[in-house]
Amino acid sequence: MNQDWTSAIPELLTSLGQTAWMVGWSFAITVALGIVCGVALRLTTPDGLTPNRVFAAIFGGIVNLARSLPFLILLIALIPFTRLLVGTAYGPTAAIVPLSVGAIPFYARVVETALREVDNGKIEAAQVVGSTVGQIVRKVLLPEALPGLVAGATLTLVTLIGYSTMAGAIGGGGVGDFAIRYGYQRFNGPVLFMSVAVLIVIVQLVQSAGDALVRSMNHRR
């Protein structure tokens, strides 16, 4: 087989665009819904602001169940739901659904953990001045937990990049699909190596940027 990797660069660039599309949208959805779920988990725990043992047990169980499922199994199991939601089970847009469903429970637990680290003294001070639960969440919990939330979001983004390569294995497009079709199936080692190298560089850049952002936040505190 032809081992010239330069001829595959246009396809690689297209695949990178597909990966950016599916990871970008799923990351935005994951962060938005993950924060909501994480706040709900934290507020309803026995030591939370609005304790509710029944809700915390049921919702926490659902989150744990979703987290325990291997992503590839989740990807396949959600095919009917994905097809119902976006009209197809294949392609980068369809991959957004399982990527989001798989990552939301993970980030929700990250958010819950970050909120637990907020100093109780600051929460009590807000309660003393008559702040509502919503005001405490918006003005105390989330701002104080922001470095942890950003660190968790960085980890989630790296995880989504890894998940996206698995989505490519069953028709989700992106770099994973490119590596399989142009590298593995054609026995083209240089192309396969190039795909891996590109993913490594992307992950390193994302992680470095996230770490730098967290450090800058901690210095300003």
Side-chain angles (χ1 to χ4, degrees):
M1 300 297 291
N2 180 20
Q3 298 294 302
D4 182 17
W5 59 270
T6 58
S7 61
I9 290 179
E11 287 291 339
L12 175 61
L13 295 177
T14 300
S15 299
L16 283 172
Q18 293 173 343
T19 295
W21 171 263
M22 69 175 90
V23 170
W25 276 105
S26 59
F27 178 68
I29 294 170
T30 294
V31 169
L33 297 183
I35 288 176
V36 173
C37 293
V39 168
L41 287 169
R42 179 67 189 106
L43 293 181
T44 56
T45 54
D47 60 338
L49 295 174
T50 56
N52 187 321
R53 291 182 179 274
V54 175
F55 176 85
I58 294 175
F59 189 51
I62 293 173
V63 170
N64 290 338
L65 176 63
R67 286 183 62 198
S68 65
L69 292 174
F71 179 69
L72 191 57
I73 294 176
L74 182 67
L75 190 65
I76 297 171
L78 286 176
I79 285 178
F81 176 69
T82 301
R83 186 178 290 114
L84 177 66
L85 197 62
V86 300
T88 180
Y90 302 99
T93 300
I96 294 171
V97 177
L99 285 172
S100 301
V101 172
I104 287 171
F106 174 81
Y107 190 60
R109 285 301 186 187
V110 170
V111 172
E112 181 191 14
T113 301
L115 296 179
R116 285 185 182 276
E117 299 299 320
V118 176
D119 184 7
N120 285 331
K122 295 182 178 181
I123 298 174
E124 292 170 358
Q127 290 176 314
V128 168
V129 298
S131 299
T132 64
V133 172
Q135 290 173 331
I136 293 175
V137 170
R138 294 193 307 271
K139 298 181 180 181
V140 179
L141 287 177
L142 292 178
E144 289 296 320
L146 191 56
L149 296 179
V150 172
T154 302
L155 178 61
T156 302
L157 181 54
V158 170
T159 301
L160 282 169
I161 294 172
Y163 282 174
S164 72
T165 61
M166 285 187 275
I170 63 170
V175 177
D177 177 61
F178 168 82
I180 292 172
R181 289 191 297 112
Y182 289 89
Y184 177 74
Q185 292 180 350
R186 300 185 183 187
F187 303 100
N188 196 328
V191 169
L192 188 59
F193 175 79
M194 179 174 61
S195 304
V196 174
V198 167
L199 287 174
I200 291 174
V201 170
I202 292 174
V203 167
Q204 292 297 323
L205 290 174
V206 168
Q207 189 65 59
S208 298
D211 291 344
L213 185 57
V214 171
R215 285 195 299 271
S216 68
M217 289 178 176
N218 287 329
H219 288 159
R220 290 198 296 267
R221 289 166 69 88

